[in-house]
Amino acid sequence: MAYITKKKIAKAFHDVVLTKGFSRTSVTAIMDTADFRRQTFYDYFQDKYELLTWFIDDTLAETVERNLNYLPWIDIIKLVCYELDANRRFYAECINSQHEIDVTALVGNHLAALLTELTQTHTAETAALIWLLCLGIAQSLTHNIVANHPEDYETLSQDAIAAIEMTLKILH
């Protein structure tokens, strides 16, 4: 039940951010939209920044980690790019309106989980290479979200796939 409640709060958060903007999103507005009492928010989250982190982590965990055993890694990369593009307004608002949460690093963490699973090697050097590659891909994706003239997400996904394929060749 706790997960469902968190998902409902996160959905309300998403809707309020799109309507009012991140900086004018209050706990009261989120909980009124979710149709929960205000105190319920604090049963799960400390503030809207913790909720933002949870929202991104949960969304990307659904997209990446929960698909590791079901989809080819290339499809997962495409799904990540699609998710970020499909919710561009929300992510752009969150990136532009606050600096407490590093959205790029959160995206990079989930991409790194995917690549770590792909490589099946766990040396410090491999971990560093994976992290830097994933952080670079994540930076490209999040920069595109806030760009005045964004590239098509399919182009970005192809670039990410090419970079990962080159890295996998080096590691194997």
Side-chain angles (χ1 to χ4, degrees), residues 52-61 63-65 76-77 79-85 87 90-92 94-95 101-116 130-145 156 160 164:
L52 173 60
T53 300
W54 186 88
F55 180 94
I56 294 170
D57 277 339
D58 183 65
T59 300
L60 292 176
T63 307
V64 178
E65 287 90 342
I76 294 172
I77 294 295
L79 279 175
V80 169
C81 294
Y82 175 78
E83 163 59 33
L84 295 173
D85 188 67
N87 289 292
F90 171 79
Y91 290 115
C94 292
I95 291 167
I101 304 303
D102 186 347
V103 176
T104 300
L106 292 174
V107 174
N109 287 338
H110 292 277
L111 294 174
L114 171 63
L115 262 67
T116 299
I130 288 171
W131 173 242
L132 289 174
L133 172 65
C134 291
L135 194 57
I137 293 170
Q139 175 59 34
S140 174
L141 297 175
T142 56
H143 174 74
N144 195 59
I145 288 170
L156 290 175
I164 292 168

Side-chain angles (χ1 to χ4, degrees), residues 12-27 29-30 48-49 52 89-98:
F13 171 66
H14 177 271
D15 295 347
V16 173
V17 166
L18 287 177
T19 303
K20 295 184 173 196
F22 184 85
S23 59
R24 291 196 309 259
T25 293
S26 66
V27 171
I30 294 166
K48 67 182 180 181
Y49 299 98
L52 173 60
R89 274 191 34 221
F90 171 79
Y91 290 115
E93 178 61 28
C94 292
I95 291 167
N96 288 329
S97 298
Q98 61 82 39

